[in-house]
Amino acid sequence: MPDSRNWFAPVPPHRRRLCEPVSRRGVLIETEGRTLLNFAANDYLGLAFHPRVLEAAAKTIQQEGLGSGASRLISGDHPILHELERELSKWKGFEAALFLGSGMLANLGLLDALAGRDTHLFCDRLNHASLVDGVRLCRGRMHRFPHLDYAGLKRLLAAHPGSRKIIVSDGVFSMDGDCADVRALLSLADLHDALLVLDDAHGLGVLDSEGRGLTAAAGVQGHPRLVEVVTCGKALGAYGAFVLGSNELIAGLRQRLRTLFYSTALPPCLAAAVLVSLHVLREEKLTQRLRENIGMFRTLAEQYGLPIKPSVTAIQPFLLGNDESALRASERLREAGFHVPAIRPPTVPEGTARLRITLSAVHTETHITRLVEALDALGRP
Ligand SMILES: *Cc1c(COP(=O)(O)O)cnc(C)c1O
């Protein structure tokens, strides 16, 4: 009989996930005694190291302690969590918000709370794993449509008249950097009496002139059929997540969301830091700086004729196809001083292994130019 030492079958080398300890300092990363320029963080605005953000967190730790001590239901519901919810929902253009631990917890809890046995969920095939798992674990029935194929989605919706329906999609897709057409999704939701659950973890801080994300860029924020999830672990440089929606929906979730009740409330210092981040990103026009860097990278990549997929977001995938070429490319970039991981199946579909380059507002013109030169050199022996 197997014991804990041989429970799992060995993973073949080209599929092994590389978990190595790293320490981060702004755009630099230290790993195995080497310092590399990091093009693999989702800290798109550099807020994780912003002095004003760190100061807010440190000051709140002094006053309020480190952990929150309990779930929000018991005694962990610090007033600053509510202040952050009010501020974020106002900025995002929704009536209300709920602040809870991580995007993963938010999606698992949200889909469980929304869907009963009679609910049908319609999911884009490239949705983030947290949405996939949320749908798998809830009691509803899953239907999947090909990536961004809204004609296919429409047929699926039409095949289930009379039932409760939820369309589930990433806003910005996390491995491709492309975007859902949120207006098209909402008109389908209107037509077929469905809700739209949209996870815009990678749109917040990146899209819309103010950084309010995909739904603000499309002018549909606060739509009554829209339930949006955004996270603090990406452009906000921290940890945690928000569910945004109508007053009634958020009040209902406060009564039903198991990942809210049965998980310790986020630390007050984190909420304090995120509150300051929301001010800093506007005052310092960080989204604008990021967008300039994205534009610069794409212009250069085009001049060099690099195989970068179209993307207006901070995620710029460089397609290589098979696992070995992606691993080799990542290793060669490391030798040249850059940290850009290879992303392979099952995280992405078979045959689409890639380098996932992420850009930040705090990369300089020199950083970006040197990266493009190194990517170009990959094509040469
Ligand atoms: C990162 C991510 C999540 C998970 O958020 P965490 O806060 O890291 O748990 C959920 N959805 C999408 C689309 C993501 O990219």
Side-chain angles (χ1 to χ4, degrees), residues 311-331:
S311 158
V312 297
T313 68
I315 302 161
Q316 299 288 329
F318 184 100
L319 275 191
L320 286 148
N322 70 54
D323 298 6
E324 287 79 5
S325 345
L327 283 170
R328 217 173 316 122
S330 174
E331 188 47 45

Side-chain angles (χ1 to χ4, degrees), residues 42 44 100-107 126-131 169-175 199-203 229-234 238-241 315 356:
N42 302 321
Y44 300 130
L100 68 165
S102 94
M104 185 61 147
L105 286 172
N107 285 335
L126 293 192
N127 278 351
H128 188 264
S130 56
L131 291 175
S169 179
D170 280 22
V172 172
F173 286 83
S174 56
M175 293 300 136
D199 175 350
D200 202 26
H202 294 281
V229 175
V230 290
T231 72
C232 306
K234 309 274 157 66
Y239 188 76
I315 302 161
R356 179 175 177 274

